[in-house]
Amino acid sequence: MKSAILFITLSTLSLIVKAEDDPPKSKKKKRNYLIELPASLNTDSVVATGTSTPAVDLPFKPSIQVGAIVHMFASGEQTGYSNPSADKSAKDWNKGFSLYRARVLVGGQLTKKASFFLETEIPSPIGIQSNGEKNVKVSPIILDAQLEYTFSNAFQLIAGMQLVSNNRNGLQGAAGLMANDFSYFQYPYNLFSNSPLQGNFGRDLGINARGFLANDKLEYRLGVFTGRNIDGGAPLRTVGRLAYNFLDAEKDFYYAGTKLGKGKTLAWAAGFDAQANYINYSTDVFFDYPLGNAGSITANAAFQYLSGGTDLSSKYSFATLIPKQTIQFLELGYYFKKVKLQPWIRYENQAISAEAEQTGGIKTASFDKVNSSSVMGGGLNYFFNGTGTNLRLSYTTRTYNVPTAADDYTKKTFGQIWLQAQFFIF
């Protein structure tokens, strides 16, 4: 099997080299030279015009682009928001300032068809942590490191460390979020190296195919990734997604969480994420449309079904790592273009319904209650310069079933306030 994979890889590389080295066989035609920057960089195409020199006569020159994204905020969070227990009071608040994201982005065009993207990140916020301690020194890590080759509009390959998800919110760019942060339940098992899927902030190592069909209305993504691997022999993780855009086409690698009235989007998608006996089926709908003279509406909804299966015999089993569950997600906002304000609301719910084999001996009713939770919140965004510079004020609550006695639970709700500033340039 490994020999076959090696053979396919070498064959693909040889085809890429040949495609780059072969001279064009068609006659030279006078046209404008279109430089298509990598879709993964979420930038507009750049067109060089006004020259009498035929485009094919211009020698290719590799290019590079550098940028940054920073999220910093002042916050207040009630004790128990991230880790509730019966002895934690919802009256206590942790307050402080944090540098939440500090990323350096580097991308560029290597050949006419090959591009790369590299991104760093701080692995934990600088400032006050959820445990109340202050974190002041963090070494950056590699977040994304990917190589993209465009064979055609219908077939591209992206290899390396990249964002992996079967749903839209999990594939959004951090700079284009509508809410203050990503959904709580899009990365519950793929966030850190000690998570069941051994992820890296939603990233994984592998090869991803992507393309556009039907006049760019239909997009597919299909990839194989490392996933959870404890001894080098685990089956690969497979992730797929099929999306159809009924209005404007979307070709960015990272999806937008809101478009601030630029364009008209109605997209529906379905996807899957699987490894060994773990499965995640999802469907999502995204709607962004100018509504009235005042501005535009944004709605983003998703549903997921997950389970780690019930097979306990395999060493690669996810049965005790990912219980059976459903996840519901909804964001709704309206952008007032004249005053550059966008109020939004969010609802999320993680409903655990574990099988007996998944609970480790705990009663399923108790297991389900303790591990299920919901999130509600809202906020107000002010866009100085779109996604480039903005300010976000949000209040979010998280509700848990907290045990008070044997087989007895009470609902407790904890709050979080963020005032977040963002700047982004690329």
Side-chain angles (χ1 to χ4, degrees):
M1 181 64 180
K2 292 182 178 179
S3 300
I5 294 174
L6 180 60
F7 173 76
I8 293 171
T9 304
L10 292 175
S11 299
T12 303
L13 290 174
S14 66
L15 288 173
I16 293 174
V17 174
K18 187 176 186 301
E20 290 297 323
D21 291 341
D22 285 349
K25 296 181 181 179
S26 58
K27 293 182 67 177
K28 297 178 181 178
K29 295 181 180 180
K30 183 178 178 180
R31 63 178 177 82
N32 291 332
Y33 182 55
L34 177 64
I35 307 172
E36 290 191 4
L37 296 176
S40 58
L41 307 184
N42 269 4
T43 57
D44 294 330
S45 297
V46 178
V47 182
T49 60
T51 175
S52 59
T53 305
V56 291
D57 287 343
L58 296 177
F60 174 81
K61 292 183 178 180
S63 60
I64 194 168
Q65 192 170 342
V66 179
I69 176 172
V70 170
H71 287 161
M72 58 182 73
F73 61 78
S75 67
E77 181 177 294
Q78 286 181 299
T79 303
Y81 185 89
S82 301
N83 184 25
S85 65
D87 60 346
K88 289 185 177 178
S89 171
K91 297 179 180 179
D92 299 329
W93 285 81
N94 297 320
K95 301 171 289 296
F97 301 92
S98 295
L99 182 59
Y100 188 56
R101 288 187 179 92
R103 301 179 179 180
V104 176
L105 295 75
V106 182
Q109 203 73 27
L110 301 172
T111 72
K112 291 181 179 180
K113 293 187 175 183
S115 59
F116 79 95
F117 179 61
L118 180 70
E119 185 176 19
T120 67
E121 174 67 300
I122 51 174
S124 60
I126 298 174
I128 301 299
Q129 306 294 291
S130 58
N131 60 6
E133 296 180 359
K134 187 177 181 181
N135 184 24
V136 295
K137 187 176 181 180
V138 175
S139 298
I141 62 171
I142 297 296
L143 190 63
D144 298 274
Q146 59 195 60
L147 173 67
E148 178 178 341
Y149 192 90
T150 301
F151 292 89
S152 68
N153 187 57
F155 183 62
Q156 301 137 40
L157 281 179
I158 305 101
M161 178 75 79
Q162 57 193 284
L163 197 60
V164 178
S165 181
N166 56 331
N167 65 81
R168 184 185 183 96
N169 188 259
L171 290 169
Q172 288 179 197
L177 297 172
M178 180 169 66
N180 59 330
D181 204 1
F182 291 96
S183 161
Y184 282 81
F185 306 126
Q186 303 307 309
Y187 300 128
Y189 305 106
N190 190 37
L191 194 57
F192 303 115
S193 58
N194 60 354
S195 301
L197 289 167
Q198 295 181 330
N200 181 36
F201 294 91
R203 275 76 175 171
D204 204 349
L205 281 161
I207 300 177
N208 201 9
R210 180 178 183 237
F212 299 90
L213 306 167
N215 294 321
D216 292 340
K217 298 290 187 179
L218 183 65
E219 178 199 9
Y220 72 87
R221 303 187 188 209
L222 181 62
V224 288
F225 303 92
T226 306
R228 182 175 182 82
N229 203 315
I230 55 177
D231 59 4
L236 292 175
R237 177 186 179 190
T238 306
V239 183
R241 175 179 169 85
L242 192 66
Y244 188 82
N245 285 275
F246 295 90
L247 302 175
D248 295 344
E250 291 185 292
K251 302 192 74 172
D252 290 333
F253 185 81
Y254 296 121
Y255 294 120
T258 181
K259 298 191 174 182
L260 305 179
K262 297 179 180 178
K264 301 173 181 179
T265 305
L266 175 58
W268 171 81
F272 71 92
D273 184 357
Q275 184 180 14
N277 59 341
Y278 154 72
I279 189 67
N280 178 345
Y281 297 115
S282 70
T283 183
D284 56 79
V285 177
F286 179 78
F287 181 62
D288 194 285
Y289 199 87
L291 190 64
N293 296 325
S296 59
I297 188 172
T298 300
N300 193 359
F303 176 85
Q304 294 184 76
Y305 167 83
L306 297 81
S307 179
T310 58
D311 179 17
L312 298 173
S313 61
S314 172
K315 60 181 176 180
Y316 307 122
S317 173
F318 286 84
T320 59
L321 300 174
I322 302 177
K324 187 174 73 172
Q325 62 193 273
T326 58
I327 295 172
Q328 300 87 40
F329 163 75
L330 175 65
E331 283 183 347
L332 183 64
Y334 189 87
Y335 177 62
F336 294 90
K337 59 183 178 182
K338 189 172 183 180
V339 293
K340 300 182 179 181
L341 287 173
Q342 183 184 51
W344 57 267
I345 57 174
R346 166 189 276 182
Y347 169 75
E348 301 174 62
N349 183 56
Q350 183 184 33
I352 306 295
S353 55
E355 303 286 353
E357 294 87 349
Q358 299 175 332
T359 66
I362 302 174
K363 290 182 180 179
T364 55
S366 300
F367 185 91
D368 294 347
K369 281 184 175 293
V370 170
N371 290 283
S372 298
S373 66
S374 61
V375 173
M376 291 190 68
L380 183 66
N381 303 335
Y382 179 72
F383 295 90
F384 296 92
N385 180 31
T387 58
T389 311
N390 51 66
L391 195 64
R392 303 164 184 265
L393 176 65
S394 64
Y395 177 72
T396 304
T397 64
R398 191 165 183 179
T399 302
Y400 300 87
N401 295 302
V402 178
T404 56
D407 296 326
D408 191 18
Y409 298 85
T410 183
K411 287 189 178 294
K412 282 196 174 184
T413 299
F414 305 88
Q416 181 192 74
I417 300 173
W418 275 14
L419 178 61
Q420 175 178 283
Q422 169 179 305
F423 71 80
F424 168 64
I425 185 170
F426 195 78

